[in-house]
Amino acid sequence: MEAPWHIYPQNKELSIKIAEEIQKSEILAQVLLNRNIRSLKTVNNFINPFLGNYKKDLGYEKLVAAANLLQDAIKNKKRILIYGDYDVDGITSTSLLISFVKFMGGIVDFYIPHRYIDGYGLNTNAVNEILHKKYDLLFTLDCGISNFEEIAILKKNADIKVVVLDHHTIPDKLPDADVLINPKFLPENHCLYNICGVGVVYKFLEFYVDHFQVDYNLANDLDLVALGTIADMVPLTGENRVFVKFGLAKLEQRKRIGVDALLRVSGFEREQISVRDVGFVLAPRLNAAGRLQYASYSVDLLISTSKEEAQLKAEKLNKINQERRAIGQVILRQAEEILQEEHDLEKDKVCVLARNDWHSGVIGITASQIVNKYAKPAVLISYNEKIARGSARSVGNVNIYELLKSCSEYFEEFGGHKQAAGFGLLPQNIMGFKNKFLKLCNEKIQESELVSVLDIDVQIQPNQINKNLVKEINLLHPFGNGNTAPVLYANNFKVIDFRKVGKGKHLKGTFSDKSGKYLFDGIGFGLADKLDLLYKDSFEMAFNLELNTWAGRESVQLNILDIK
């Protein structure tokens, strides 16, 4: 199915009023209205965001309790363990908290589970290690909210305090931790509701620094918060957008030795760093260690204080990422073969694929690739004789977490959110799970849920497109999940030239208004199949606007999203 277009209702009167108040164009004003930013105060806060709000909103009593436990452990030289997840969110959460505790003079270790050996969250190996080393205070970061049994064992067998800083969906049964801090306890419309694990750690430390009047510039760590927030694909709205806006500026300064080394080994030379650069350059390399080997390598890189050491670790991560890509190519080919053999692609609304020699650290990426190609949710399962591990990715408006939750009787462990989830199960239960899940999805998922609607902000005339408009639109940066770049629409462009590029996959063209006075280059990634539409006398086009710099010259470019 082609993505349907939805054009926001246009409020001419209010957009004119807002435009006059903020001295910007009516186009920008309408875009803000489309994002439900209506009052002058919220408009100004969105265009000029600032840090430091909502210090107590994760629960004042909980924050005080957690801060007191950390303060007591640091002051009395108690042994602290920071237990983080193996993805970028967990890695950055761990790096942020361990750096702060070391700055404060605390005695601290960190533990990142091995994805394949340990699985997600607290586990038997970790519990035994914690009990053996007799830690006094445990922080679980980006995990822990579902570890009822493991935390119960710790509390029963040791005099240990447990603080859970997590952001995942609240389970039916909560662990008996001393403090549970999770933004999912807040109302869904709260600006902190969608912060990820590293965001939770940052807000906790923000409170701690304020509460105990610590002389520590926490804003310098926003590069870590931006890395984790972007990599975890949480919506860039509310506090997340503030984190990323200021965090990208910190990343561009390259003051963190490990990040600078990783950018250099990846061949990244631009001064500016975008959300896309984090998602495609930094995050995959940081994630690769946890996918194939040990995520602790990435923590070591991010907290490194030696340029020589950081360079060696960055080179290691880059090499691991190359290995991950090679493994991923093989898994994708095998997954598509199984898909063709076992699924009715016309009928089935989900893809469930399993094989006993797949690397469990890579199947999540492959699941995303299957989703992108077939526009269906995908579940990939890797198994051996003892355990099977699954990664699920969703599409459109399908809540993969709730669908999987209906099959929870098959799982040994389970967690996630609307767009992505993971689970563990016994190999003998794979077929039972697959049959039930496939039947459930075919019954519950509507065809309309599988399609992502293209939301169009405003219709525009070619003569309204200029560099000033692009600069106004860029005030809404950073763009990403939940804060997409404004989509404009026009039906009166004239084609000057067009052709296929990128091995025939993409579309490149030059467009003008009907008079030929205004000229614009345009690129449509993956839109080569739309080329025939440009032969017609009239066509409709949806696009973003970007500034393209080439040979020192700056020009406006159309980033074409769809043509009809």
Side-chain angles (χ1 to χ4, degrees):
M1 292 177 64
E2 277 201 353
W5 291 9
H6 163 255
I7 300 180
Y8 282 99
Q10 306 296 290
N11 192 326
K12 187 76 173 174
E13 184 178 340
L14 187 53
S15 64
I16 290 174
K17 184 177 179 181
I18 291 174
E20 289 174 349
E21 290 283 354
I22 63 175
Q23 295 295 296
K24 303 295 180 186
S25 69
E26 292 174 34
I27 293 171
L28 181 70
Q30 181 61 54
V31 170
L32 289 165
L33 289 174
N34 297 344
R35 283 145 180 75
N36 203 31
I37 302 167
R38 295 177 172 270
S39 71
L40 191 58
K41 180 180 178 181
T42 56
V43 167
N44 284 323
N45 286 346
F46 195 85
I47 293 176
N48 303 295
F50 53 91
L51 287 162
N53 280 346
Y54 321 111
K55 289 181 182 177
K56 303 174 184 178
D57 286 29
L58 288 175
Y60 179 76
E61 292 183 1
K62 291 180 179 181
L63 289 165
V64 168
N68 285 339
L69 286 173
L70 179 57
Q71 173 78 343
D72 173 69
I74 293 171
K75 182 179 179 181
N76 294 298
K77 300 299 180 183
K78 294 181 179 180
R79 303 190 67 205
I80 304 166
L81 179 66
I82 297 170
Y83 188 99
D85 188 26
Y86 41 63
D87 67 1
V88 177
D89 188 16
I91 290 163
T92 51
S93 298
T94 302
S95 301
L96 175 56
L97 187 54
I98 197 170
S99 296
F100 181 79
V101 175
K102 284 184 175 181
F103 170 84
M104 295 294 293
I107 301 172
V108 61
D109 295 327
F110 74 90
Y111 186 114
I112 306 285
H114 190 286
R115 185 188 294 259
Y116 193 72
I117 297 170
D118 299 318
Y120 171 75
L122 283 171
N123 55 78
T124 303
N125 291 339
V127 168
N128 291 335
E129 179 85 358
I130 294 166
L131 292 173
H132 174 69
K133 293 191 174 180
K134 299 181 179 180
Y135 289 102
D136 301 295
L137 175 61
L138 169 67
F139 277 88
T140 68
L141 312 182
D142 191 32
C143 61
I145 197 71
S146 299
N147 291 119
F148 177 87
E149 293 180 4
E150 291 81 4
I151 290 175
I153 293 171
L154 285 173
K155 300 295 287 184
K156 180 180 178 182
N157 292 282
D159 182 18
I160 186 171
K161 302 295 184 182
V162 180
V163 178
V164 173
L165 303 181
D166 201 355
H167 73 109
H168 290 96
T169 303
I170 307 296
D172 296 331
K173 194 173 187 179
L174 291 172
D176 186 28
D178 293 272
V179 185
L180 285 171
I181 297 177
N182 189 320
K184 293 299 184 289
F185 287 119
L186 297 169
E188 287 190 33
N189 63 350
H190 194 285
C191 67
L192 297 183
Y193 182 82
N194 285 313
I195 62 175
C196 62
V198 71
V200 177
V201 175
Y202 185 88
K203 296 308 291 185
F204 165 63
L205 291 179
E206 188 180 54
F207 177 85
Y208 183 100
V209 167
D210 185 61
H211 189 67
F212 291 111
Q213 296 297 296
V214 178
D215 185 16
Y216 184 86
N217 188 355
L218 194 60
N220 286 333
D221 293 324
L222 281 167
D223 56 346
L224 294 176
V225 185
L227 283 173
T229 299
I230 294 168
D232 221 49
M233 298 293 288
V234 290
L236 296 189
T237 55
E239 197 80 341
N240 284 337
R241 179 172 171 268
V242 181
F243 287 153
V244 172
K245 186 176 182 68
F246 288 96
L248 287 175
K250 292 294 180 183
L251 283 170
E252 288 171 359
Q253 294 174 8
R254 297 197 180 198
K255 289 185 177 179
R256 191 172 300 275
I257 293 172
V259 171
D260 182 55
L262 197 58
L263 287 168
R264 281 189 280 107
V265 300
S266 66
F268 188 88
E269 297 179 349
R270 292 195 304 277
E271 291 184 6
Q272 291 187 320
I273 297 176
S274 68
V275 170
R276 181 179 174 83
D277 295 330
V278 171
F280 286 90
V281 178
L282 290 171
R285 288 168 171 81
L286 291 169
N287 250 330
R291 293 188 183 282
L292 299 191
Q293 297 184 26
Y294 292 92
S296 56
Y297 299 157
S298 295
V299 176
D300 289 336
L301 174 76
L302 293 177
I303 65 175
S304 177
T305 56
S306 161
K307 287 187 176 181
E308 293 76 15
E309 180 187 19
Q311 181 67 21
L312 290 173
K313 286 182 168 59
E315 289 172 358
K316 183 179 184 70
L317 290 183
N318 197 48
K319 184 178 180 181
I320 295 172
N321 189 53
Q322 291 169 350
E323 295 172 6
R324 189 270 305 167
R325 286 179 178 173
I327 292 170
Q329 290 173 357
V330 173
I331 294 177
L332 179 60
R333 187 184 69 249
Q334 294 170 340
E336 294 207 79
E337 290 172 357
I338 297 172
L339 185 61
Q340 299 297 330
E341 292 172 4
E342 298 184 2
H343 279 276
D344 182 341
L345 290 172
E346 293 294 323
K347 174 187 172 185
D348 291 338
K349 295 173 182 174
V350 67
C351 307
V352 186
L353 314 168
R355 182 161 165 150
N356 69 348
D357 59 351
W358 282 342
H359 198 297
S360 63
V362 183
I363 55 175
I365 296 173
T366 309
S368 295
Q369 292 170 325
I370 294 292
V371 168
N372 291 338
K373 183 169 182 178
Y374 295 96
K376 301 171 187 284
V379 179
L380 264 67
I381 301 171
S382 170
Y383 63 93
N384 56 32
E385 66 277 2
K386 294 182 179 179
I387 189 69
R389 302 200 183 280
S391 277
R393 299 292 185 271
S394 192
V395 68
N397 199 37
V398 177
N399 190 325
I400 199 73
Y401 178 86
E402 291 299 328
L403 289 166
L404 286 168
K405 188 177 179 182
S406 298
C407 301
S408 58
E409 70 270 20
Y410 291 101
F411 301 149
E412 302 297 306
E413 55 190 58
F414 170 57
H417 47 80
K418 180 180 178 180
Q419 291 297 321
F423 57 86
L425 73 168
L426 299 176
Q428 59 266 33
N429 289 332
I430 292 175
M431 191 54 65
F433 159 72
K434 178 178 178 179
N435 291 338
K436 178 177 178 178
F437 188 67
L438 189 59
K439 184 174 184 292
L440 179 73
C441 289
N442 285 339
E443 291 174 352
K444 296 282 188 181
I445 297 175
Q446 303 298 313
E447 288 288 345
S448 58
E449 292 181 284
L450 297 172
V451 181
S452 297
V453 174
L454 180 60
D455 289 314
I456 296 174
D457 285 286
V458 64
Q459 183 174 354
I460 192 169
Q461 302 301 318
N463 63 0
Q464 294 176 290
I465 299 173
N466 53 53
K467 285 189 276 188
N468 284 337
L469 177 60
V470 182
K471 289 175 181 177
E472 280 192 2
I473 286 173
N474 286 344
L475 292 172
L476 310 184
H477 268 288
F479 299 132
N481 180 29
N483 184 42
T484 56
V487 179
L488 308 177
Y489 157 79
N491 60 4
N492 54 353
F493 273 118
K494 183 170 72 174
V495 182
I496 304 299
D497 177 48
F498 59 90
R499 63 191 182 279
K500 292 182 180 180
V501 295
K503 297 181 180 180
K505 295 180 180 179
H506 314 307
L507 180 66
K508 188 173 178 62
T510 302
F511 304 86
S512 76
D513 65 322
K514 295 299 183 182
S515 71
K517 181 179 178 180
Y518 301 95
L519 290 175
F520 307 99
D521 288 328
I523 181 76
F525 294 103
L527 294 183
D529 61 330
K530 301 277 187 175
L531 182 138
D532 289 347
L533 294 173
L534 298 182
Y535 286 102
K536 296 184 176 182
D537 291 334
S538 64
F539 56 88
E540 300 171 295
M541 196 157 67
F543 51 91
N544 307 131
L545 291 180
E546 299 173 345
L547 281 180
N548 184 39
T549 303
W550 177 256
R553 296 184 62 185
E554 202 174 55
S555 62
V556 178
Q557 178 174 276
L558 313 179
N559 178 23
I560 305 167
L561 304 175
D562 201 5
I563 303 172
K564 289 188 177 181

